[in-house]
Amino acid sequence: MIDATHAPGLRSWVASANLHSDFPIQNLPLGVFAPPGGLPRAGVAIGDMILDLAAALPGVVAAGPTLNPILAAGAPRRRGLRQLVSGLLATGSPDRARVEKLLYPAADCTLHLPAVIGDYTDFFAGIQHATNTGRLFRPDNPLLPNYKYVPVAYHGRASSVRAPGPPIFRPSGQRKLPEEAAPSYGPCRNLDYELELGIWIGPGNEPGAPIPIARGHEHIAGYCLLNDWSARDIQAWEYQPLGPFLAKNFHTTISPWIVTPEALAPFRAPAFARPEGDPAPLPYLADPADRAAGGLALRFAVAIRTRRMREAGAAPHVLSRVGADALYWTPAQMVAHHTCNGCDLHPGDLFGSGTISGADPGSFGSLLELTQGGRTPLSLPNGEARGFLEDGDEIVFTARAEAPGAVPIGFGACAGVISAPPPAPGR
Ligand code: CA
Protein backbone atom coordinates (compact mmCIF):
# COMPACT_ATOMS: atom_id res chain seq x y z
CA MET A 1 0.00 0.00 0.00
CA ILE A 2 1.53 3.30 -1.16
CA ASP A 3 0.61 6.38 0.88
CA ALA A 4 1.85 9.88 1.72
CA THR A 5 4.90 8.43 3.55
CA HIS A 6 6.27 7.29 0.17
CA ALA A 7 5.72 10.58 -1.70
CA PRO A 8 8.85 11.30 -3.78
CA GLY A 9 8.65 14.98 -2.87
CA LEU A 10 8.53 14.35 0.89
CA ARG A 11 11.53 15.85 2.72
CA SER A 12 12.73 15.84 6.32
CA TRP A 13 13.92 18.67 8.52
CA VAL A 14 16.80 16.31 9.38
CA ALA A 15 19.06 17.68 6.66
CA SER A 16 21.24 14.56 6.23
CA ALA A 17 18.13 12.49 5.39
CA ASN A 18 17.44 14.28 2.14
CA LEU A 19 19.12 12.38 -0.71
CA HIS A 20 20.60 9.96 1.86
CA SER A 21 21.51 6.75 0.02
CA ASP A 22 20.08 4.43 2.71
CA PHE A 23 17.82 6.31 5.11
CA PRO A 24 15.74 9.09 3.52
CA ILE A 25 12.39 9.84 5.19
CA GLN A 26 10.74 7.33 2.83
CA ASN A 27 12.57 4.44 4.58
CA LEU A 28 12.30 4.81 8.40
CA PRO A 29 13.80 1.41 9.36
CA LEU A 30 13.45 0.13 12.93
CA GLY A 31 16.34 -0.90 15.16
CA VAL A 32 17.74 -1.01 18.69
CA PHE A 33 20.55 1.39 19.57
CA ALA A 34 22.38 2.66 22.63
CA PRO A 35 23.41 6.32 22.70
CA PRO A 36 26.74 7.14 24.39
CA GLY A 37 26.44 6.09 28.04
CA GLY A 38 22.80 5.06 27.58
CA LEU A 39 20.84 1.82 27.60
CA PRO A 40 19.68 0.01 24.43
CA ARG A 41 16.34 1.28 23.16
CA ALA A 42 14.13 1.31 20.05
CA GLY A 43 15.16 3.70 17.30
CA VAL A 44 14.48 4.79 13.74
CA ALA A 45 17.30 5.65 11.32
CA ILE A 46 16.85 9.00 9.60
CA GLY A 47 19.79 10.18 7.50
CA ASP A 48 22.91 10.15 9.66
CA MET A 49 20.83 10.32 12.87
CA ILE A 50 18.82 7.93 15.05
CA LEU A 51 15.52 8.91 16.65
CA ASP A 52 14.74 7.58 20.14
CA LEU A 53 11.38 6.04 19.30
CA ALA A 54 9.88 5.45 22.75
CA ALA A 55 10.83 8.97 23.88
CA ALA A 56 9.38 10.49 20.71
CA LEU A 57 6.14 8.51 20.91
CA PRO A 58 5.47 7.84 24.61
CA GLY A 59 2.46 5.59 25.10
CA VAL A 60 2.76 4.32 21.51
CA VAL A 61 6.09 2.49 21.67
CA ALA A 62 7.03 0.67 24.87
CA ALA A 63 10.46 1.52 26.27
CA GLY A 64 12.64 -1.58 26.12
CA PRO A 65 15.63 -3.15 24.46
CA THR A 66 13.86 -5.31 21.83
CA LEU A 67 11.40 -4.83 19.00
CA ASN A 68 9.67 -8.20 19.41
CA PRO A 69 6.39 -6.51 20.50
CA ILE A 70 6.38 -4.36 17.35
CA LEU A 71 7.12 -7.41 15.19
CA ALA A 72 4.28 -9.31 16.88
CA ALA A 73 1.75 -6.53 16.29
CA GLY A 74 1.59 -6.98 12.52
CA ALA A 75 1.16 -4.72 9.53
CA PRO A 76 -1.64 -2.32 10.63
CA ARG A 77 0.29 -1.32 13.76
CA ARG A 78 3.56 -0.94 11.81
CA ARG A 79 1.83 1.19 9.21
CA GLY A 80 0.36 3.43 11.91
CA LEU A 81 3.77 3.80 13.55
CA ARG A 82 5.36 4.65 10.20
CA GLN A 83 2.80 7.40 9.59
CA LEU A 84 3.40 8.89 13.04
CA VAL A 85 7.19 8.88 12.66
CA SER A 86 6.98 10.29 9.14
CA GLY A 87 4.82 13.13 10.48
CA LEU A 88 7.33 13.90 13.25
CA LEU A 89 10.30 14.04 10.87
CA ALA A 90 8.72 15.70 7.82
CA THR A 91 9.55 19.26 6.86
CA GLY A 92 7.17 21.62 8.61
CA SER A 93 6.42 19.27 11.51
CA PRO A 94 5.06 21.17 14.55
CA ASP A 95 6.92 18.62 16.75
CA ARG A 96 10.38 19.54 15.47
CA ALA A 97 11.58 21.44 18.57
CA ARG A 98 10.61 18.57 20.89
CA VAL A 99 11.85 15.76 18.63
CA GLU A 100 15.14 17.42 17.71
CA LYS A 101 16.42 16.73 21.24
CA LEU A 102 15.69 13.02 20.80
CA LEU A 103 18.05 12.55 17.84
CA TYR A 104 21.54 11.07 18.19
CA PRO A 105 24.32 10.96 15.58
CA ALA A 106 24.41 7.35 14.41
CA ALA A 107 28.22 7.41 14.38
CA ASP A 108 28.21 7.90 18.18
CA CYS A 109 25.77 5.06 18.90
CA THR A 110 26.08 1.30 19.30
CA LEU A 111 23.68 -0.77 17.21
CA HIS A 112 22.30 -3.95 18.77
CA LEU A 113 20.26 -6.86 17.44
CA PRO A 114 16.80 -5.39 16.91
CA ALA A 115 14.95 -8.35 18.41
CA VAL A 116 15.45 -11.50 20.43
CA ILE A 117 15.79 -14.18 17.75
CA GLY A 118 13.99 -17.30 18.92
CA ASP A 119 14.80 -19.43 15.92
CA TYR A 120 16.82 -19.05 12.76
CA THR A 121 16.30 -21.00 9.52
CA ASP A 122 18.57 -20.72 6.50
CA PHE A 123 17.02 -21.44 3.10
CA PHE A 124 18.76 -22.27 -0.19
CA ALA A 125 16.66 -20.18 -2.58
CA GLY A 126 19.49 -18.83 -4.75
CA ILE A 127 19.10 -21.27 -7.65
CA GLN A 128 22.30 -20.17 -9.38
CA HIS A 129 24.23 -20.63 -6.11
CA ALA A 130 22.70 -24.10 -5.74
CA THR A 131 23.74 -24.84 -9.33
CA ASN A 132 27.25 -23.41 -8.99
CA THR A 133 28.02 -25.25 -5.74
CA GLY A 134 26.31 -28.44 -6.97
CA ARG A 135 28.54 -28.34 -10.05
CA LEU A 136 31.64 -28.45 -7.86
CA PHE A 137 30.50 -31.90 -6.67
CA ARG A 138 28.25 -33.15 -9.52
CA PRO A 139 29.37 -31.54 -12.80
CA ASP A 140 26.70 -33.28 -14.90
CA ASN A 141 23.78 -32.97 -12.51
CA PRO A 142 24.31 -29.89 -10.34
CA LEU A 143 20.72 -29.39 -9.13
CA LEU A 144 19.22 -32.18 -7.03
CA PRO A 145 15.76 -33.39 -8.18
CA ASN A 146 13.91 -31.86 -5.20
CA TYR A 147 15.18 -28.30 -5.75
CA LYS A 148 12.36 -26.94 -7.92
CA TYR A 149 9.68 -28.46 -5.66
CA VAL A 150 10.93 -27.90 -2.09
CA PRO A 151 12.18 -24.60 -0.63
CA VAL A 152 15.18 -26.42 0.86
CA ALA A 153 16.48 -25.18 4.24
CA TYR A 154 18.26 -26.22 7.42
CA HIS A 155 17.70 -25.11 11.01
CA GLY A 156 20.48 -22.70 11.96
CA ARG A 157 21.58 -21.45 15.35
CA ALA A 158 20.01 -18.23 16.66
CA SER A 159 22.60 -17.68 19.42
CA SER A 160 25.40 -16.74 17.03
CA VAL A 161 23.46 -14.17 14.96
CA ARG A 162 24.99 -10.77 15.75
CA ALA A 163 24.83 -7.15 14.67
CA PRO A 164 27.97 -5.66 13.09
CA GLY A 165 30.67 -4.70 15.58
CA PRO A 166 32.37 -7.69 17.18
CA PRO A 167 35.21 -9.35 15.26
CA ILE A 168 34.54 -12.53 13.30
CA PHE A 169 36.87 -15.00 14.99
CA ARG A 170 38.22 -17.57 12.58
CA PRO A 171 36.64 -20.77 13.90
CA SER A 172 38.56 -23.91 14.68
CA GLY A 173 37.20 -27.36 14.04
CA GLN A 174 37.70 -30.69 12.38
CA ARG A 175 38.72 -30.42 8.77
CA LYS A 176 39.99 -32.87 6.24
CA LEU A 177 40.95 -31.91 2.74
CA PRO A 178 40.42 -34.64 0.12
CA GLU A 179 44.18 -35.16 -0.21
CA GLU A 180 44.62 -35.64 3.56
CA ALA A 181 44.48 -39.14 5.01
CA ALA A 182 42.91 -38.18 8.35
CA PRO A 183 41.11 -35.19 9.86
CA SER A 184 42.77 -32.77 12.25
CA TYR A 185 41.55 -30.06 14.61
CA GLY A 186 42.68 -26.51 13.90
CA PRO A 187 41.77 -23.09 12.53
CA CYS A 188 39.54 -23.02 9.46
CA ARG A 189 41.65 -22.68 6.30
CA ASN A 190 38.81 -21.95 3.86
CA LEU A 191 36.79 -19.16 5.49
CA ASP A 192 34.05 -17.69 3.30
CA TYR A 193 31.03 -15.37 3.35
CA GLU A 194 27.53 -15.87 1.94
CA LEU A 195 25.44 -12.93 0.71
CA GLU A 196 21.84 -13.43 1.85
CA LEU A 197 18.62 -11.54 2.40
CA GLY A 198 17.42 -11.79 6.01
CA ILE A 199 13.66 -12.03 6.63
CA TRP A 200 12.15 -11.08 10.01
CA ILE A 201 9.04 -12.98 11.04
CA GLY A 202 6.06 -11.08 12.44
CA PRO A 203 2.95 -12.47 14.18
CA GLY A 204 3.54 -16.17 13.39
CA ASN A 205 1.21 -19.12 13.91
CA GLU A 206 -0.05 -21.58 16.48
CA PRO A 207 1.39 -25.11 16.43
CA GLY A 208 -0.52 -27.25 13.95
CA ALA A 209 -1.94 -24.26 12.04
CA PRO A 210 -0.05 -23.78 8.76
CA ILE A 211 0.11 -20.28 7.29
CA PRO A 212 -1.51 -20.34 3.83
CA ILE A 213 0.61 -18.93 1.01
CA ALA A 214 -1.88 -16.09 0.42
CA ARG A 215 -1.30 -14.88 4.00
CA GLY A 216 2.43 -15.48 4.06
CA HIS A 217 3.25 -11.79 3.56
CA GLU A 218 1.27 -10.86 6.71
CA HIS A 219 3.87 -12.74 8.75
CA ILE A 220 6.91 -10.97 7.31
CA ALA A 221 7.81 -7.99 9.50
CA GLY A 222 10.86 -6.79 7.64
CA TYR A 223 14.13 -7.46 5.90
CA CYS A 224 17.86 -7.10 6.52
CA LEU A 225 21.16 -8.21 5.02
CA LEU A 226 22.66 -11.43 6.33
CA ASN A 227 26.19 -12.82 6.09
CA ASP A 228 26.25 -16.56 6.73
CA TRP A 229 30.00 -16.79 7.43
CA SER A 230 31.01 -20.31 6.39
CA ALA A 231 33.99 -22.53 7.17
CA ARG A 232 34.20 -24.48 3.91
CA ASP A 233 36.79 -27.04 4.99
CA ILE A 234 34.89 -27.85 8.20
CA GLN A 235 31.65 -27.94 6.19
CA ALA A 236 33.02 -30.37 3.57
CA TRP A 237 34.03 -32.87 6.28
CA GLU A 238 31.00 -32.60 8.57
CA TYR A 239 27.98 -32.01 6.33
CA GLN A 240 27.03 -35.55 5.35
CA PRO A 241 24.49 -36.89 6.09
CA LEU A 242 22.71 -34.29 8.26
CA GLY A 243 23.83 -30.99 6.72
CA PRO A 244 25.59 -27.87 8.02
CA PHE A 245 26.54 -27.69 11.71
CA LEU A 246 29.69 -26.12 13.16
CA ALA A 247 30.78 -24.74 9.77
CA LYS A 248 27.90 -22.28 9.97
CA ASN A 249 27.06 -21.54 13.60
CA PHE A 250 30.15 -19.70 14.87
CA HIS A 251 28.95 -16.28 13.71
CA THR A 252 26.24 -14.88 11.45
CA THR A 253 26.18 -11.11 10.88
CA ILE A 254 23.02 -9.16 10.05
CA SER A 255 22.55 -5.50 9.22
CA PRO A 256 20.97 -4.01 12.34
CA TRP A 257 18.05 -2.12 10.75
CA ILE A 258 14.71 -3.78 10.00
CA VAL A 259 13.55 -2.39 6.65
CA THR A 260 9.79 -2.82 6.81
CA PRO A 261 7.48 -4.24 4.15
CA GLU A 262 5.77 -0.82 4.18
CA ALA A 263 9.05 0.93 3.24
CA LEU A 264 9.52 -1.63 0.45
CA ALA A 265 5.96 -1.31 -0.89
CA PRO A 266 7.09 0.69 -3.97
CA PHE A 267 9.73 -1.95 -4.73
CA ARG A 268 7.59 -5.10 -5.06
CA ALA A 269 8.54 -7.22 -8.06
CA PRO A 270 7.35 -10.44 -9.68
CA ALA A 271 8.40 -13.78 -8.24
CA PHE A 272 11.20 -15.72 -9.97
CA ALA A 273 10.48 -16.12 -13.67
CA ARG A 274 10.42 -19.92 -13.92
CA PRO A 275 11.73 -20.90 -17.34
CA GLU A 276 9.73 -23.09 -19.72
CA GLY A 277 9.88 -26.67 -18.53
CA ASP A 278 10.22 -25.95 -14.80
CA PRO A 279 7.45 -27.55 -12.70
CA ALA A 280 4.69 -25.32 -11.35
CA PRO A 281 4.84 -24.90 -7.56
CA LEU A 282 2.58 -27.35 -5.70
CA PRO A 283 -0.77 -25.70 -4.84
CA TYR A 284 0.17 -24.86 -1.23
CA LEU A 285 3.10 -22.79 -2.63
CA ALA A 286 1.15 -21.15 -5.47
CA ASP A 287 -0.63 -17.80 -5.19
CA PRO A 288 -1.33 -15.40 -8.08
CA ALA A 289 -0.70 -12.28 -5.98
CA ASP A 290 2.60 -13.67 -4.69
CA ARG A 291 3.58 -14.62 -8.24
CA ALA A 292 2.81 -11.10 -9.46
CA ALA A 293 4.45 -9.13 -6.63
CA GLY A 294 6.05 -11.50 -4.10
CA GLY A 295 9.60 -10.50 -5.05
CA LEU A 296 11.61 -7.36 -4.36
CA ALA A 297 13.42 -4.95 -6.71
CA LEU A 298 16.61 -5.07 -4.66
CA ARG A 299 20.23 -4.92 -5.82
CA PHE A 300 23.02 -6.15 -3.55
CA ALA A 301 26.74 -5.43 -3.56
CA VAL A 302 29.59 -7.35 -1.87
CA ALA A 303 32.87 -5.52 -1.20
CA ILE A 304 36.16 -6.50 0.43
CA ARG A 305 38.69 -4.36 2.29
CA THR A 306 41.83 -6.17 3.35
CA ARG A 307 44.02 -5.02 6.21
CA ARG A 308 46.51 -3.60 3.71
CA MET A 309 43.75 -1.72 1.88
CA ARG A 310 42.48 -0.32 5.20
CA GLU A 311 45.96 0.79 6.28
CA ALA A 312 46.45 2.47 2.89
CA GLY A 313 43.11 4.27 3.26
CA ALA A 314 41.69 2.48 0.19
CA ALA A 315 37.94 2.14 -0.29
CA PRO A 316 36.37 -1.33 -0.23
CA HIS A 317 36.67 -3.15 -3.57
CA VAL A 318 33.39 -4.45 -5.02
CA LEU A 319 33.56 -8.20 -5.69
CA SER A 320 30.05 -8.72 -7.02
CA ARG A 321 26.61 -7.25 -7.62
CA VAL A 322 23.39 -9.24 -7.89
CA GLY A 323 19.63 -8.74 -7.69
CA ALA A 324 16.99 -10.38 -5.48
CA ASP A 325 15.41 -11.70 -8.69
CA ALA A 326 17.95 -14.55 -8.44
CA LEU A 327 15.88 -16.11 -5.62
CA TYR A 328 13.80 -19.08 -6.82
CA TRP A 329 11.36 -18.87 -3.89
CA THR A 330 9.62 -15.81 -2.45
CA PRO A 331 9.63 -15.02 1.28
CA ALA A 332 5.89 -15.88 1.42
CA GLN A 333 6.62 -19.29 -0.12
CA MET A 334 9.28 -19.83 2.55
CA VAL A 335 6.74 -18.97 5.28
CA ALA A 336 4.09 -21.26 3.77
CA HIS A 337 6.55 -24.13 3.37
CA HIS A 338 8.09 -23.72 6.83
CA THR A 339 4.65 -24.00 8.46
CA CYS A 340 3.03 -26.56 6.10
CA ASN A 341 3.67 -29.38 8.59
CA GLY A 342 2.28 -27.36 11.51
CA CYS A 343 5.64 -25.94 12.66
CA ASP A 344 5.04 -22.68 14.57
CA LEU A 345 6.87 -19.44 13.79
CA HIS A 346 7.21 -16.65 16.35
CA PRO A 347 7.78 -12.87 16.29
CA GLY A 348 11.51 -12.32 15.98
CA ASP A 349 12.27 -15.57 14.17
CA LEU A 350 14.74 -14.99 11.36
CA PHE A 351 15.09 -16.57 7.92
CA GLY A 352 18.09 -16.40 5.63
CA SER A 353 17.26 -16.57 1.92
CA GLY A 354 20.29 -18.65 0.99
CA THR A 355 23.26 -17.32 -0.92
CA ILE A 356 22.26 -15.01 -3.75
CA SER A 357 24.25 -15.50 -6.95
CA GLY A 358 23.56 -14.63 -10.56
CA ALA A 359 24.72 -16.37 -13.72
CA ASP A 360 28.05 -14.61 -14.29
CA PRO A 361 31.05 -14.41 -11.93
CA GLY A 362 30.49 -10.70 -11.30
CA SER A 363 27.29 -11.70 -9.50
CA PHE A 364 28.46 -14.63 -7.35
CA GLY A 365 27.58 -14.35 -3.64
CA SER A 366 30.46 -16.37 -2.13
CA LEU A 367 34.19 -16.91 -2.61
CA LEU A 368 33.49 -20.64 -3.01
CA GLU A 369 31.92 -19.72 -6.34
CA LEU A 370 34.13 -16.73 -7.24
CA THR A 371 37.36 -18.72 -6.82
CA GLN A 372 36.05 -22.22 -7.69
CA GLY A 373 36.69 -23.53 -4.23
CA GLY A 374 39.90 -21.50 -3.86
CA ARG A 375 41.51 -22.97 -7.00
CA THR A 376 41.49 -19.69 -8.97
CA PRO A 377 42.26 -16.87 -6.51
CA LEU A 378 40.92 -13.38 -7.12
CA SER A 379 43.32 -10.55 -7.88
CA LEU A 380 42.63 -7.36 -5.94
CA PRO A 381 43.56 -3.88 -7.24
CA ASN A 382 46.50 -3.55 -4.81
CA GLY A 383 48.10 -6.79 -6.03
CA GLU A 384 46.85 -9.02 -3.22
CA ALA A 385 45.14 -12.31 -4.10
CA ARG A 386 42.39 -14.19 -2.26
CA GLY A 387 41.19 -17.77 -2.50
CA PHE A 388 39.39 -17.53 0.82
CA LEU A 389 39.35 -14.89 3.59
CA GLU A 390 42.45 -13.95 5.55
CA ASP A 391 42.65 -12.42 9.03
CA GLY A 392 42.08 -8.68 8.82
CA ASP A 393 39.78 -8.91 5.78
CA GLU A 394 36.56 -6.94 6.04
CA ILE A 395 33.48 -7.95 4.03
CA VAL A 396 30.75 -5.35 3.51
CA PHE A 397 27.29 -6.04 2.08
CA THR A 398 24.99 -3.23 0.97
CA ALA A 399 21.60 -3.20 -0.75
CA ARG A 400 19.51 -0.69 -2.62
CA ALA A 401 15.85 -0.74 -3.58
CA GLU A 402 15.06 1.15 -6.76
CA ALA A 403 11.88 1.60 -8.80
CA PRO A 404 10.62 4.21 -11.24
CA GLY A 405 8.92 7.10 -9.46
CA ALA A 406 10.13 6.12 -5.98
CA VAL A 407 12.90 7.55 -3.80
CA PRO A 408 15.56 4.78 -3.58
CA ILE A 409 16.24 3.36 -0.12
CA GLY A 410 19.02 1.20 1.31
CA PHE A 411 19.59 -1.23 4.16
CA GLY A 412 22.74 0.17 5.83
CA ALA A 413 25.86 -1.98 5.91
CA CYS A 414 26.28 -5.58 7.01
CA ALA A 415 30.01 -5.63 7.76
CA GLY A 416 32.51 -7.75 9.66
CA VAL A 417 36.29 -8.08 10.00
CA ILE A 418 37.96 -11.51 10.26
CA SER A 419 40.11 -11.93 13.35
CA ALA A 420 42.71 -14.52 14.33
CA PRO A 421 41.19 -17.57 16.05
CA PRO A 422 40.54 -17.52 19.79
CA PRO A 423 42.84 -19.78 21.86
CA ALA A 424 42.29 -23.50 21.40
CA PRO A 425 40.44 -25.27 24.23
CA GLY A 426 42.59 -27.06 26.80
CA ARG A 427 42.65 -30.82 27.01
CA1 CA B 1 23.68 -19.97 3.85
Side-chain angles (χ1 to χ4, degrees):
M1 196 186 299
I2 309 282
D3 60 27
T5 64
H6 303 95
L10 186 66
R11 293 288 179 270
S12 175
W13 50 261
V14 180
S16 64
N18 301 319
L19 302 176
H20 196 277
S21 60
D22 286 332
F23 306 133
I25 192 170
Q26 287 80 4
N27 192 344
L28 304 177
L30 303 167
V32 168
F33 76 105
L39 293 170
R41 64 195 72 183
V44 168
I46 178 77
D48 295 336
M49 309 295 281
I50 302 175
L51 175 66
D52 184 331
L53 198 51
L57 293 169
V60 177
V61 176
T66 80
L67 300 182
N68 295 72
I70 292 178
L71 301 185
R77 170 91 195 280
R78 276 199 319 269
R79 199 174 302 125
L81 183 60
R82 174 179 169 84
Q83 286 166 352
L84 287 174
V85 175
S86 180
L88 292 178
L89 295 171
T91 305
S93 166
D95 297 289
R96 174 173 176 169
R98 177 180 71 85
V99 170
E100 214 157 23
K101 302 186 196 88
L102 306 174
L103 287 171
Y104 298 87
D108 297 344
C109 298
T110 305
L111 272 299
H112 293 262
L113 279 184
V116 175
I117 302 170
D119 254 314
Y120 161 53
T121 302
D122 197 17
F123 282 84
F124 196 47
I127 187 170
Q128 197 63 48
H129 170 76
T131 305
N132 294 342
T133 54
R135 193 172 283 132
L136 295 172
F137 304 103
R138 298 175 301 277
D140 300 330
N141 183 26
L143 266 191
L144 291 168
N146 62 356
Y147 189 85
K148 292 179 177 176
Y149 292 91
V150 180
V152 170
Y154 68 94
H155 280 298
R157 177 93 185 156
S159 67
S160 51
V161 179
R162 298 185 182 102
I168 317 302
F169 288 116
R170 180 179 298 274
S172 289
Q174 273 199 37
R175 64 273 203 275
K176 187 184 100 52
L177 298 177
E179 59 272 26
E180 293 173 335
S184 57
Y185 174 85
C188 166
R189 293 176 291 207
N190 295 348
L191 188 54
D192 200 358
Y193 59 82
E194 290 190 342
L195 168 69
E196 304 197 22
L197 178 66
I199 298 152
W200 287 100
I201 297 302
N205 57 314
E206 294 297 319
I211 296 172
I213 176 73
R215 313 204 75 125
H217 65 277
E218 295 171 21
H219 297 273
I220 295 164
Y223 299 87
C224 62
L225 291 163
L226 185 150
N227 187 339
D228 179 20
W229 302 102
S230 297
R232 299 297 182 198
D233 44 355
I234 297 171
Q235 183 180 0
W237 174 236
E238 76 172 3
Y239 87 104
Q240 288 179 313
L242 289 186
F245 181 36
L246 301 177
K248 298 277 192 175
N249 69 5
F250 56 95
H251 201 136
T252 300
T253 305
I254 60 170
S255 56
W257 294 106
I258 299 178
V259 179
T260 63
E262 291 69 45
L264 289 166
F267 309 101
R268 304 307 311 190
F272 188 87
R274 292 190 173 213
E276 192 79 18
D278 274 19
L282 294 182
Y284 80 97
L285 294 173
D287 174 59
D290 187 56
R291 179 156 185 75
L296 289 168
L298 278 179
R299 294 283 300 168
F300 306 94
V302 177
I304 189 170
R305 189 155 60 153
T306 68
R307 191 195 307 271
R308 261 178 57 193
M309 291 166 70
R310 206 161 40 248
E311 286 168 359
H317 170 69
V318 174
L319 294 174
S320 60
R321 295 181 197 276
V322 65
D325 57 351
L327 293 170
Y328 197 77
W329 302 102
T330 66
Q333 286 175 316
M334 295 176 197
V335 168
H337 182 66
H338 205 308
T339 62
C340 75
N341 64 345
C343 174
D344 45 321
L345 301 177
H346 297 268
D349 284 0
L350 182 70
F351 291 176
S353 63
T355 309
I356 308 171
S357 292
D360 66 279
S363 64
F364 290 172
S366 70
L367 286 176
L368 180 70
E369 295 161 88
L370 279 168
T371 69
Q372 271 119 62
R375 288 191 294 278
T376 52
L378 289 171
S379 297
L380 301 179
N382 68 352
E384 289 183 279
R386 285 293 181 277
F388 287 101
L389 297 172
E390 296 188 6
D391 295 348
D393 287 352
E394 179 180 24
I395 293 292
V396 185
F397 296 167
T398 50
R400 194 163 170 80
E402 286 186 313
V407 174
I409 63 173
F411 277 51
C414 176
V417 179
I418 306 299
S419 173
R427 284 166 183 277

